[in-house]
Amino acid sequence: MHAGKTQGVALVTGASRGVGQGIAQALGAAGMTVYVTGRSAREGASRFRGEILHGTVFDSAQAVTDAGGQGIAVLCDHGDDAQVQALLARIEREQGHLDVLVNNAVYIDDSLIEPGPFWAKPLAQSDILQVGLRSAYVASYYAAPLLLKAQQGLIAFTSSFGGGCYMHGPAYGAQKAGCDKMAADMAVDFEGQGVAAVSLWLGPQLTQRTELASAGRDDDYEQFLAMAETPQFTGRIIHALWRDPELASVSGQTLISAELALRYGIRDAGDRQPPSWREMLGAPRTVHPARVS
């Protein structure tokens, strides 16, 4: 299996459903070969508040293929470094390089958006720092040699405005801010070598989990979701970034996906233009240019 030079090879982690699945599908629609990872091998294996979360890695791979690309499902627990190492070794054997890594795998505890201080919620919320932050470092570590073999490589972290404002508590905020800083520092190490790293602040996402989480919330939240983004929208933005000949100029930055969409002329489903939440939720931090080795 060897992808054509123009279509490219991508890895989307945490892609059994939701954001990862939509990103992978959009990359497939652009003709890419997309490796999709996750732990869900069968329907009904994952639940949220007692409800089945639909989707498996095999469904996602099929969605990529149906969209026009080549989807390859790989069962992978991103909390297990050996499995991640084996995943990237497989991509190297089968493709020889990697063009795009989307670090999307993340552990989300069901209590994330419940009211109350962090000490009144399950300690399991801190697992987002294992699968969500550390796991992104590990995937990037093993992917780096393959990205360096590409004509133009990209590491994209799926982050959120929670990296800059209070959102869902300290564990969630630390994970998002950590991804933003990781992208900035990885960009320094990749400088001049044809690989860029960026962190993307996504808007609210139209996924099954979001739909379930919003049940019973007030009307303001419903209006908020009416302006939400589809995960496919994010995937199209990531593809446009990778194809941008000026990609190196934004490497290391935290970027707002809705603003990138305007730059690239990308609209969401239903010809919608999702808004940037910069004025309401804040702007990405600027990293100080000092470098200490």
Side-chain angles (χ1 to χ4, degrees):
M1 285 181 293
H2 291 279
K5 289 184 180 179
T6 56
Q7 284 74 33
V9 182
L11 165 60
V12 183
T13 72
S16 296
R17 62 186 64 83
V19 174
Q21 184 181 74
I23 290 172
Q25 186 180 34
L27 296 178
M32 298 190 80
T33 294
V34 187
Y35 288 77
V36 294
T37 69
R39 295 183 300 165
S40 296
R42 60 180 179 81
E43 181 73 10
S46 295
R47 293 174 178 268
F48 175 68
R49 294 179 175 173
E51 297 284 341
I52 291 174
L53 291 174
H54 301 296
T56 69
V57 288
F58 305 108
D59 294 337
S60 294
Q62 189 61 53
V64 170
T65 301
D66 291 345
Q70 181 180 14
I72 301 172
V74 182
L75 288 169
C76 180
D77 180 351
H78 282 271
D80 184 335
D81 295 356
Q83 290 188 39
V84 178
Q85 183 179 18
L87 162 68
L88 272 302
R90 174 179 171 179
I91 295 174
E92 183 173 27
R93 288 194 307 272
E94 295 179 351
Q95 307 295 339
H97 77 286
L98 181 66
D99 294 291
V100 178
L101 166 63
V102 182
N103 279 315
N104 178 69
V106 64
Y107 170 83
I108 297 292
D109 189 79
D110 284 3
S111 66
L112 181 69
I113 63 170
E114 297 300 323
F118 73 91
W119 61 87
K121 298 180 182 181
L123 186 58
Q125 280 204 3
S126 66
D127 288 347
I128 195 173
L129 303 176
Q130 171 70 13
V131 178
L133 186 57
R134 185 182 184 281
S135 63
Y137 183 92
V138 173
S140 302
Y141 177 88
Y142 287 117
L146 300 186
L147 289 160
L148 288 167
K149 294 180 181 181
Q151 186 173 2
Q152 178 161 280
L154 171 65
I155 297 177
F157 296 82
T158 56
S159 185
S160 88
F161 289 85
C165 70
Y166 181 92
M167 185 179 289
H168 307 324
Y172 181 87
Q175 188 262 331
K176 298 308 179 189
C179 285
D180 298 346
K181 187 59 164 60
M182 203 178 290
D185 290 353
M186 286 182 179
V188 172
D189 288 348
F190 279 124
E191 200 168 63
Q193 300 186 74
V195 179
V198 300
S199 192
L200 300 177
W201 279 10
L202 313 184
Q205 297 291 296
L206 290 171
T207 65
Q208 184 194 5
R209 181 185 282 269
T210 302
E211 182 182 353
L212 292 172
S214 64
R217 301 293 289 265
D218 57 30
D219 290 342
D220 288 342
Y221 197 79
E222 196 170 301
Q223 292 174 6
F224 188 64
L225 288 181
M227 295 181 283
E229 304 163 2
T230 67
Q232 289 81 1
F233 177 70
T234 303
R236 292 168 60 205
I237 292 166
I238 290 171
H239 184 265
L241 261 174
W242 170 60
R243 298 289 293 174
D244 190 338
E246 302 300 321
L247 174 60
S249 68
V250 297
S251 186
Q253 295 183 28
T254 296
L255 304 166
I256 296 172
S257 58
E259 295 175 3
L260 283 173
L262 289 172
R263 180 189 306 179
Y264 294 124
I266 296 172
R267 299 183 71 84
D268 207 345
D271 199 37
R272 294 182 304 113
Q273 195 74 61
S276 167
W277 298 94
R278 178 187 290 265
E279 289 190 14
M280 180 183 292
L281 300 177
R285 292 186 177 91
T286 300
V287 176
H288 195 279
R291 297 182 180 182
V292 181
S293 23

